[in-house]
């Protein structure tokens, strides 16, 4: 008990000495005397001497440092023992299994280590995706590339002469007669001269007038067009016929009927230039001719028109 009393007095003295390091010498003497008076009468003279020796300032400071250092050292040692080593630090691989410091760790031990290291918090739900960013600005144009090599020489093409044609313009003509009244049975009835502009065009012709045929026996007459004296061959002649059968004894066989009729068609292959277009009257094949009449007591006309193909 005496030693414990001296220890507590020493601590109390050290506290005072640490707080008042610059205390005068005569005050230290008074303090030591007060401490000795507080000791128990049972404390021996030897213990009093130890306490007195321990009351010096230098010894008190050294004892305080020792008292503070020892607990800290013990705590640090306990803490180092409590830390667990990295599970993979001494993991055995290959021929290291026989080493004394080699330890094997299972997957469960590693999971426990990770839980102790990083905690046991569960991962929360994923956040809302962010909005798309604004489009970036256009980059700097790159440098022009190296020109490529010349290609292979092509084959020689055909020379085609371009023909620049003028827009089509209407080209037509009309020739008319009042009371032509031409009573021939064979020959040209009327003609009309026309200027054809192109060789690749076609001619449309029309004759309109009064026609008549009479005879006592069966007869046939034919009205047709010619171009520069020849009938059309592109594709076929342009014609119109009238056939009259034999009359009955009860009726007059010399019936005289004039009717307005037309002869019309389209002819191709006529060359460009001046063209003589004429209307003729003639006989039918294998039939006798009768008494023909053209343009009696009426207007007769020929219309010619050039048409593009």
């Amino acid at each position: 008990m005496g030693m414990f009393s001296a220890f507590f007095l020493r601590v109390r003295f050290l506290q005072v000495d640490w707080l008042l390091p610059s205390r005068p010498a005569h005050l230290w003497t008074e303090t030591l005397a007060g401490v000795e008076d507080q000791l128990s009468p049972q404390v021996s003279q030897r213990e009093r001497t130890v306490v007195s020796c321990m009351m010096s300032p230098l010894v008190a400071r050294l004892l305080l440092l020792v008292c503070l250092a020892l607990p800290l050292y013990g705590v640090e040692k306990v803490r180092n023992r409590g830390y667990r080593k990295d599970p993979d630090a001494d993991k055995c691989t290959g021929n290291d299994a026989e080493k004394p410091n080699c330890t094997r760790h299972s997957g469960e031990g590693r999971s426990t280590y990770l839980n102790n290291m990083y905690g046991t918090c569960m991962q929360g739900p994923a956040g809302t995706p962010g909005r798309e960013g604004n489009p970036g600005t256009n980059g700097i144009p790159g440098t022009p590339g190296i020109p490529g090599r010349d290609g292979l020489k092509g084959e020689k093409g055909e020379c085609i002469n371009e023909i620049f044609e003028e827009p089509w313009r209407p080209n037509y003509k009309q020739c008319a007669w009042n009371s032509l009244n031409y009573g021939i049975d064979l020959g040209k009835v009327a003609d009309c001269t026309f200027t054809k502009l192109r060789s690749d065009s076609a001619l449309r012709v029309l004759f309109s007038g009064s026609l008549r045929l009479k005879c006592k026996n069966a007869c046939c007459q034919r009205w047709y067009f010619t171009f520069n004296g020849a009938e059309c061959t592109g594709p076929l002649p342009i014609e119109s016929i009238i056939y009259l059968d034999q009359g009955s004894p009860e009726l007059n066989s010399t019936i005289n009927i004039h009717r307005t009729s037309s002869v019309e068609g389209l002819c191709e292959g006529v060359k460009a230039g001046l063209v003589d277009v004429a209307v003729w009257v003639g006989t039918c094949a294998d039939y006798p001719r009768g008494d023909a009449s053209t343009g009696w007591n009426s207007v007769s006309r020929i219309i010619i028109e050039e048409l593009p193909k």
Side-chain angles (χ1 to χ4, degrees):
M1 292 298 295
M3 291 299 294
F4 285 105
S5 301
F7 175 76
F8 286 116
L9 290 175
R10 182 190 62 184
V11 172
R12 181 179 178 186
F13 179 79
L14 289 176
Q15 292 176 353
V16 175
D17 180 59
W18 185 263
L19 296 175
L20 301 173
S22 59
R23 194 171 185 181
H26 68 278
L27 295 179
W28 283 111
T29 303
E30 297 177 358
T31 303
L32 289 175
V35 170
E36 291 179 357
D37 293 340
Q38 294 179 6
L39 292 176
S40 175
Q42 288 83 10
V43 177
S44 63
Q45 183 62 32
R46 183 180 178 181
E47 293 175 353
R48 292 174 181 269
T49 303
V50 172
V51 171
S52 299
C53 294
M54 294 175 62
M55 292 301 107
S56 63
L58 180 60
V59 175
R61 291 179 182 180
L62 291 175
L63 290 176
L64 179 60
L65 290 176
V66 172
C67 293
L68 293 176
L70 286 177
L72 293 176
Y73 174 75
V75 172
E76 186 69 19
K77 189 173 182 180
V78 172
R79 183 183 298 175
N80 291 335
R81 290 180 179 178
Y83 286 155
R84 301 190 62 176
K85 299 176 66 177
D86 186 0
D88 295 334
D90 297 331
K91 188 174 182 180
C92 298
T93 57
N95 298 327
D96 297 337
E98 302 300 330
K99 292 182 179 180
N101 295 331
C102 178
T103 58
R104 298 184 180 273
H105 300 277
S106 63
E108 182 179 358
R110 180 175 179 83
S111 177
T112 304
Y113 167 76
L114 294 177
N115 289 337
N116 294 335
M117 178 67 72
Y118 301 107
T120 58
C121 297
M122 297 180 63
Q123 183 178 2
T128 305
R131 296 180 302 174
E132 295 184 0
N134 296 328
T137 57
N138 294 331
I140 301 174
T143 56
I146 301 174
R149 296 179 300 174
D150 295 338
L152 301 176
K153 187 176 181 180
E155 299 179 357
K156 186 177 180 180
E158 299 179 357
C159 181
I160 301 177
N161 295 326
E162 295 184 358
I163 301 176
F164 297 95
E165 299 181 352
E166 297 180 358
W168 180 262
R169 293 178 301 174
N171 183 23
Y172 62 90
K173 184 179 181 181
Q174 176 178 239
C175 298
W177 299 268
N178 187 18
S179 297
L180 182 61
N181 199 16
Y182 202 51
I184 63 172
D185 300 330
L186 297 174
K188 181 188 294 185
V189 177
D191 62 355
C192 183
T193 304
F194 180 78
T195 302
K196 194 171 184 289
L197 300 179
R198 300 184 181 184
S199 297
D200 60 348
S201 61
L203 289 180
R204 175 179 176 270
V205 292
L206 168 67
F207 171 80
S208 177
S210 173
L211 302 179
R212 185 213 67 179
L213 177 63
K214 90 176 169 177
C215 57
K216 293 182 179 180
N217 298 317
C219 60
C220 179
Q221 293 293 125
R222 173 175 176 260
W223 284 260
Y224 58 93
F225 274 99
T226 61
F227 301 88
N228 293 330
E231 291 193 60
C232 180
T233 56
L236 293 172
I238 301 172
E239 63 181 0
S240 181
I241 65 171
I242 297 177
Y243 170 78
L244 185 62
D245 198 0
Q246 182 178 0
S248 60
E250 294 83 7
L251 299 176
N252 188 359
S253 299
T254 60
I255 298 176
N256 189 12
I257 301 176
H258 297 264
R259 294 185 178 91
T260 299
S261 302
S262 62
V263 181
E264 183 179 6
L266 195 67
C267 185
E268 300 175 1
V270 181
K271 295 182 179 180
L274 193 63
V275 181
D276 182 25
V277 181
V279 177
W280 294 66
V281 61
T283 58
C284 300
D286 302 331
Y287 286 93
R289 67 178 184 178
D291 184 8
S293 176
T294 306
W296 177 79
N297 199 25
S298 61
V299 176
S300 302
R301 58 175 46 86
I302 296 176
I303 300 176
I304 308 169
E305 182 180 7
E306 185 176 7
L307 300 176
K309 275 190 171 182

